[in-house]
Amino acid sequence: MIAKLTGVLDSVNGDDDFLVVDVNGVGYLVYASARTRGALPRAGEPISLYIETHIREDYIHLFGFLDATERNWFRLLFTVQGVGAKMALAILSALSPAELARAIAAADAQAITRAQGVGAKLAGRVVSELKDKVGGLGLGAAAHGGAIVPPDPAAADAISALVNLSYRRDEAFGAVGRARQDLGPKASVEALIRAGLKELAS
């Protein structure tokens, strides 16, 4: 099993979602999300990728990630019924790990439909199947956007108010979560809304 590749970036094929890493003269074809491909160095420069290896009877596919957090999300998404490797990469191309964590914590399936090929039914399945797994896999605070809102009425009302002001639910969820952390558990709905708006404006 290949867990990591360190070498030189040979080329990137954006149309087919893959890149080639030259490791001591051997070129490894590695599939990657648009987010990872967009953050790559120029051809000929050093590169190091975390690798997830998928072996089947008729192929061996390598999937590459610039950081372990995205790789962990890929593994987690792959556990969802109906989500294969290509679909997992599409989701990670559309949403960062932090955005994905907020969407799942907020039960915001609509945000996940931004990924190409992901409809409402599959997005709902991602939310329902992963909502209890996200916190326990050591994905890190950054993966959660730094805050998860406690399920209290004031926070829920503040999130609803921000959504009514045309903010996306995952954005509102993250902003209120950070406001709740700053203001404490006794903050009023009005205080959470004001602090949430300030977060969203920053």
Side-chain angles (χ1 to χ4, degrees), residues 6 9 17 22 28 30 62 72 82 84 86 106 115 134 160 171 186 197:
T6 299
L9 180 62
D17 303 337
D22 186 323
Y28 291 87
V30 181
L62 304 180
N72 291 344
K86 184 175 181 180
V134 172
S160 294
E171 292 177 329
K186 296 183 179 180
L197 287 170

Side-chain angles (χ1 to χ4, degrees), residues 21 27 45 73 76 81 100 110 141 156:
V21 181
E45 294 186 352
W73 270 106
L76 192 59
Q81 181 185 359
L100 186 53
Q110 183 63 34

Side-chain angles (χ1 to χ4, degrees), residues 98 102 106 144-150 155 158-159 162-163 167-183 191-202:
R102 286 197 297 270
H144 294 281
I148 297 295
V149 177
I159 292 169
L162 294 178
V163 170
Y167 290 101
R168 294 200 317 265
R169 183 169 176 80
D170 61 322
E171 292 177 329
F173 191 93
V176 172
R178 290 186 291 275
R180 167 64 81 218
Q181 285 187 329
D182 292 340
L183 300 177
L192 290 172
I193 293 172
R194 287 194 299 270
L197 287 170
K198 182 181 276 189
E199 286 280 347
L200 291 165
S202 63

Side-chain angles (χ1 to χ4, degrees), residues 81-154:
Q81 181 185 359
V83 176
K86 184 175 181 180
M87 191 66 70
L89 286 183
I91 293 171
L92 290 169
S93 293
L95 294 94
S96 70
E99 291 170 331
L100 186 53
R102 286 197 297 270
I104 291 171
D108 185 8
Q110 183 63 34
I112 300 173
T113 63
R114 302 206 308 262
Q116 184 176 3
V118 178
K121 184 176 180 179
L122 182 57
R125 191 179 300 140
V126 170
V127 168
S128 65
E129 292 190 20
L130 298 186
K131 64 182 178 180
D132 295 327
K133 297 180 181 180
V134 172
L137 290 183
L139 297 176
H144 294 281
I148 297 295
V149 177
D152 63 87

